[in-house]
Amino acid sequence: MNEEKKSLNFLEQIIEEDLANGLPQEKLRFRFPPEPNGYLHIGHAASICLNFGLGLKYNAPVNLRFDDTNPAKEEQEYVDAIKQDIAWLGFKWDKELYSSNYFQQLYDWSLQLIKEGKAYVDNQTSEEMAKQKGTPTEVGTNSPNRDRSIEENLELFLKMKNREFKEGSHVLRAKIDMKHVNMQMRDPIMYRILKKTHHRTGNDWCIYPMYDWTHGESDYLEQISHSICTLEFKSHRDLYDWYVNLVYDASKLRPKQREFARRNLSYTVMSKRKLLQLVEEGLVSGWDDPRMPTISGLRRRGYTPNSIKTFSDTAGISKRDNVTDVALLEHCIKDDLNKTAPRVLAVLDPVKVIITNYPEGKEEFLDASYNDYEEGFGSRTVPFSREIYIEKEDFREEANKKFFRLKLGKEVRLKNAYIIKAESCVKDENGTITEIHCTYDEDSLSGSGTEASKRKIKGTLHWVSVKHALKAEVRVYDRLFTDEAPDGHKDKDFKDFINPNSLTVINAFVEPSLKTATILERFQFQRLGYFCVDKDTTENNLVFNRTVPLRDSWAKMEK
Ligand code: ATP
Ligand code: MG
């Protein structure tokens, strides 16, 4: 589709209206504000693609701002991982910033507010404060501490800052309106005491600003024109505006918060808190376990940055909560790898084939293109010899006409090689087939131009030469959860739906050219699916992750 003609999403419409109403385009500025308390997931990718996409579209800077106001949960490891993931997706941020850069400024402004009678220190218990908050249908009641004198508030706030009080004993609250229809406006907490070492500010502070007090002011300080967040913050918008108004100066731009629906994905969970549980309880191997919906997990699984961006664009953004089918994500990576991944030969569930009329000891190195349908992929040679492996399920002693694979008395083509005919098979005492004896047509080599090579044969099988094949560990993944919405059950924990069979390890044989494959390199194993070299690979142990099988359930649904 032509870029120009693509209809605008509702956020682009808002921006277009602002531009039409006189906002100069050079004032556009966006930000992506992750809290460094976990790794980024595919939901964050929606927000990243949205914000950085707007930056590219309007040639506007996008800041990467770490929302680091809760030292209890935040770590440098997460900061590093977040940067790595955004860069891997291919986006460039303008400035790398931290909410903690503004701790002093926020503190100074708080003093100002106290002096103006707009904030007070409350030392009630959180239960008492919760009781006074009211409900959506019932107004709240004022705290007995609401009318403390300015002097007393200043003194108490200073003591909070100077570590003279215990954690949880005092908070600073904005004095707004306990009867406000919007519960967020009922004297929200601005600061709480947390005696934790912060990954950037160390022990400089023991009072930390709350999300709302921090976010709007940070947007204002950075002069973000459009602060895009997810729907759960819609009710916070009044407060966001109220806080910005406190410090707003007419010569500056007033940031605007707008909300869109979170990206949810079927068959997984997306909250960092829950993903952290999976990691901490050892239910997965780490944040980058290939079954995780994290960017690092998807990367390790074999996903490309392009596939994630296409997924984000295709799923689009919405004003209402919804769940995106994971089949769409799988479709996006299949579609990308179909165009980009070299095609190679690997056998996952092998049975030996002996070609009885092929000379013993002979070996041939056959030309094999990495992609028979597209130019530019190049080629390699694959070794052929008297003994090869094929997939067990590609042979049957007898089968009906629709079985185009190998059966007794019938022929198949071996990819890039010869036509073979099954003559007999050998079984063990349990009746399991251990060897298939075939003959080959020596004039039928693929691409040799002979009459025999042009014979029409319905089935083509993948194979590897026994003598030359490399052993490889192949990790085949299934969904991590058996339920479409594992965290959508009131009476059950999301972990009750963990799929016990989400990982199967297979000892496979792959063609020898894969010896030099590098970590994260992606391939199509012909007729099987897409696979990617895992970081656990060592000199003597080649490890592949199955990214996706070839079958495309999404494409089928779309038909
Ligand atoms: P989680 O609930 O998964 O822990 P979060 O909202 O606490 O996520 P943040 O680090 O605060 O995570 O999010 C950074 C940005 O990414 C925010 O602007 C947030 O709105 C956005 N974001 C987070 N999760 C999603 C999602 N599932 N879909 C779209 N945007 C998201
Ligand atoms: Mg958050």
Side-chain angles (χ1 to χ4, degrees):
M1 205 190 307
N2 184 330
E3 209 37 49
E4 304 294 311
K5 287 196 187 133
K6 217 165 127 181
S7 63
L8 299 179
N9 67 45
F10 74 95
L11 290 168
E12 289 168 334
Q13 283 171 18
I14 290 170
I15 294 168
E16 293 291 337
E17 263 168 44
D18 289 340
L19 293 173
N21 290 333
L23 176 71
Q25 179 154 344
E26 63 273 15
K27 296 257 166 165
L28 288 179
R29 184 179 283 271
F30 307 95
R31 92 284 174 259
F32 174 65
E35 182 179 355
N37 62 347
Y39 281 55
L40 296 179
H41 51 59
I42 187 75
H44 291 114
S47 176
I48 294 170
C49 292
L50 174 64
N51 283 295
F52 284 94
L54 289 170
L56 289 169
K57 174 168 178 166
Y58 292 102
N59 193 23
V62 184
N63 287 347
L64 170 58
R65 184 199 313 140
F66 289 98
D67 197 8
D68 57 346
T69 54
N70 183 1
K73 294 194 175 151
E74 297 157 3
E75 289 172 29
Q76 186 61 38
E77 175 197 343
Y78 298 137
V79 170
D80 297 339
I82 288 168
K83 283 164 63 178
Q84 186 192 358
D85 287 348
I86 300 173
W88 177 74
L89 283 172
F91 293 115
K92 289 199 176 67
W93 51 88
D94 183 38
K95 299 195 183 80
E96 176 184 332
L97 298 163
Y98 295 80
S99 296
S100 56
N101 296 353
Y102 313 129
F103 282 173
Q104 186 62 45
Q105 174 67 80
L106 290 166
Y107 175 75
D108 293 344
W109 274 335
S110 307
L111 289 179
Q112 193 59 37
L113 291 187
I114 295 173
K115 287 178 193 157
E116 290 169 14
K118 290 178 183 159
Y120 63 97
V121 172
D122 205 343
N123 59 330
Q124 298 185 93
T125 62
S126 47
E127 292 76 28
E128 281 168 326
M129 286 191 277
K131 240 185 270 160
Q132 291 156 3
K133 192 106 198 184
T135 67
T137 52
E138 247 175 280
V139 296
T141 47
N142 287 352
S143 160
N145 300 316
R146 201 172 196 261
D147 294 317
R148 279 194 216 275
S149 69
I150 288 171
E151 291 68 35
E152 197 185 348
N153 278 319
L154 283 173
E155 192 186 316
L156 288 171
F157 191 45
L158 197 66
K159 285 186 173 167
M160 278 173 68
K161 175 177 181 276
N162 290 341
R163 303 185 164 260
E164 290 180 40
F165 294 134
K166 279 204 298 251
E167 235 181 75
S169 65
H170 293 68
V171 293
L172 183 74
R173 298 177 73 176
K175 198 190 266 190
I176 307 180
D177 181 0
M178 289 304 289
K179 297 193 177 66
H180 204 287
V181 285
N182 182 346
M183 301 246 318
Q184 302 290 343
M185 299 293 274
R186 297 181 187 172
D187 291 9
I189 296 174
M190 296 175 72
Y191 276 95
R192 77 277 202 213
I193 301 171
L194 283 175
K195 298 212 172 139
K196 297 268 164 23
T197 304
H198 186 280
H199 65 102
R200 288 180 67 82
T201 58
N203 294 319
D204 291 354
W205 298 89
C206 72
I207 53 169
Y208 289 94
M210 299 296 287
Y211 172 86
D212 295 292
W213 171 231
T214 313
H215 210 87
E217 312 315 271
S218 304
D219 286 341
Y220 176 70
L221 287 165
E222 293 173 22
Q223 287 289 281
I224 302 301
S225 59
H226 296 82
S227 176
I228 299 167
C229 60
T230 38
L231 278 184
E232 69 272 23
F233 290 103
K234 195 162 190 139
S235 65
H236 296 234
R237 204 204 277 180
D238 286 344
L239 182 56
Y240 178 98
D241 291 338
W242 193 86
Y243 279 142
V244 169
N245 266 336
L246 291 174
V247 300
Y248 176 67
D249 161 347
S251 69
K252 295 261 174 60
L253 174 145
R254 189 198 296 274
K256 195 179 228 183
Q257 175 188 301
R258 288 297 177 269
E259 310 83 11
F260 74 108
R262 294 179 90 78
R263 166 92 60 246
N264 299 302
L265 197 62
S266 61
Y267 291 100
T268 194
V269 295
M270 216 108 87
S271 123
K272 280 182 278 187
R273 188 173 54 79
K274 290 180 183 153
L275 296 176
L276 179 65
Q277 277 182 53
L278 296 176
V279 174
E280 284 186 334
E281 293 175 28
L283 296 163
V284 293
S285 65
W287 284 97
D288 69 347
D289 184 300
R291 292 165 294 181
M292 291 280 269
T294 50
I295 307 287
S296 50
L298 291 168
R299 173 169 61 234
R300 187 168 169 195
R301 177 84 172 248
Y303 277 74
T304 57
N306 252 341
S307 65
I308 293 175
K309 287 190 261 193
T310 307
F311 168 72
S312 293
D313 286 353
T314 311
I317 62 155
S318 162
K319 282 186 191 178
R320 248 170 280 142
D321 283 322
N322 60 83
V323 180
T324 305
D325 193 326
V326 67
L328 175 61
L329 180 64
E330 292 162 357
H331 169 72
C332 291
I333 184 59
K334 242 170 287 194
D335 197 43
D336 193 12
L337 293 176
N338 180 40
K339 294 179 197 137
T340 55
R343 299 169 185 199
V344 296
L345 298 170
V347 176
L348 298 193
D349 187 16
V351 60
K352 195 186 270 187
V353 171
I354 300 180
I355 301 163
T356 52
N357 59 339
Y358 193 88
E360 280 193 52
K362 177 173 174 182
E363 52 183 25
E364 285 179 87
F365 291 85
L366 307 175
D367 263 339
S369 163
Y370 280 118
N371 186 327
D372 290 340
Y373 309 97
E374 299 277 339
E375 299 280 312
F377 278 81
S379 64
R380 82 289 187 197
T381 58
V382 287
F384 188 78
S385 66
R386 191 168 190 265
E387 295 189 359
I388 61 169
Y389 290 123
I390 64 168
E391 298 290 343
K392 268 188 197 136
E393 63 163 34
D394 281 341
F395 173 73
R396 289 198 200 149
E397 288 179 86
E398 284 171 44
N400 67 22
K401 279 193 181 145
K402 285 191 182 144
F403 186 78
F404 296 125
R405 294 173 265 171
L406 190 61
K407 56 188 166 189
L408 289 180
K410 298 284 177 194
E411 292 185 317
V412 286
R413 172 169 289 289
L414 295 174
K415 182 76 191 162
N416 301 121
Y418 297 97
I419 295 170
I420 57 169
K421 182 173 165 195
E423 308 286 355
S424 63
C425 61
V426 180
K427 293 181 195 167
D428 65 12
E429 62 273 21
N430 305 319
T432 309
I433 296 168
T434 53
E435 249 173 42
I436 304 160
H437 291 185
C438 292
T439 50
Y440 87 119
D441 175 349
E442 96 171 274
D443 294 325
S444 66
L445 182 62
S446 280
S448 63
T450 60
E451 280 311 307
S453 74
K454 288 182 199 153
R455 252 163 56 212
K456 274 218 161 29
I457 301 283
K458 277 256 166 121
T460 300
L461 303 187
H462 59 276
W463 56 276
V464 289
S465 158
V466 171
K467 183 176 154 200
H468 305 89
L470 297 177
K471 274 196 185 141
E473 175 182 331
V474 174
R475 298 175 183 169
V476 174
Y477 300 101
D478 194 359
R479 292 182 174 143
L480 188 52
F481 295 97
T482 52
D483 192 84
E484 235 175 285
D487 51 5
H489 300 260
K490 279 208 186 82
D491 47 340
K492 285 200 168 155
D493 186 64
F494 74 100
K495 285 176 289 177
D496 294 344
F497 298 100
I498 291 227
N499 175 4
N501 302 315
S502 61
L503 167 63
T504 311
V505 178
I506 292 175
N507 292 312
F509 290 106
V510 302
E511 63 167 78
S513 74
L514 292 172
K515 177 84 189 155
T516 54
T518 52
I519 291 174
L520 287 189
E521 216 178 336
R522 307 172 185 96
F523 298 92
Q524 183 192 104
F525 287 178
Q526 296 212 14
R527 299 180 63 233
L528 296 173
Y530 296 98
F531 295 78
C532 155
V533 182
D534 189 76
K535 68 174 188 185
D536 288 345
T537 292
T538 59
E539 183 63 29
N540 300 317
N541 190 33
L542 197 51
V543 184
F544 285 94
N545 294 313
R546 187 176 75 181
T547 313
V548 270
L550 280 182
R551 186 174 20 89
D552 193 327
S553 48
W554 178 259
K556 257 186 235 146
M557 278 189 290
E558 289 290 273
K559 268 180 201 156

